Amino acid sequence: MNNPSSLQPTLRALADPTRREILEILKNGAMPAGEIAEHFSITGAAISRHLSVLKEADLVRDHREGKFIFYDINLSVLQEILVWIGNFKAARETSPGKWNKIIGTQPNH
């Protein structure tokens, strides 16, 4: 996650409340698309599109078991996001002047 532009697909995927809800549903384990869709009042095609966006962002992975495709969270991407966000906090705590320069503000006196 050294390249902020690599965050674009991830942040775009996380920006949608339906996709965040899908991740909430999957936090307890892998689930087929049909079961995921049961939690929503939108079409299966819409759920499929949301799952595709999550897959493109590498937030979920899929695997086939018989005739079903199961979806599961890719925790490594979420961990990378947490580390990336944590770096901002660490920068601010260790060097407030540098942080102010990064975000373009001046400290209040």
Side-chain angles (χ1 to χ4, degrees):
M1 192 85 34
N2 294 332
N3 181 0
S5 66
S6 67
L7 279 175
Q8 294 295 5
T10 304
L11 296 177
R12 183 174 66 90
L14 291 172
D16 185 275
T18 300
R19 291 191 283 268
R20 290 192 307 269
E21 182 64 24
I22 290 171
L23 293 175
E24 282 289 325
I25 291 166
L26 292 175
K27 74 182 179 185
N28 295 318
M31 188 179 291
E35 283 185 37
I36 295 168
E38 290 173 4
H39 292 85
F40 298 92
S41 60
I42 58 178
T43 67
I47 292 297
S48 179
R49 178 65 188 135
H50 284 297
L51 288 168
S52 291
V53 172
L54 289 167
K55 278 180 54 178
E56 289 169 11
D58 205 23
L59 287 163
V60 297
R61 294 186 175 149
D62 63 350
H63 67 276
R64 184 172 291 279
E65 289 184 22
K67 64 179 183 172
F68 297 102
I69 298 174
F70 282 77
Y71 293 87
D72 201 6
I73 294 176
N74 179 5
L75 291 176
S76 65
V77 172
L78 293 173
Q79 290 169 335
E80 288 177 18
I81 292 169
L82 290 174
V83 168
W84 181 75
I85 291 170
N87 287 335
F88 287 101
K89 183 177 183 214
R92 185 164 194 178
E93 290 172 351
T94 59
S95 181
K98 182 178 179 182
W99 174 256
N100 291 329
K101 186 176 180 180
I102 291 170
I103 64 171
T105 62
Q106 297 299 317
N108 293 330
H109 293 293

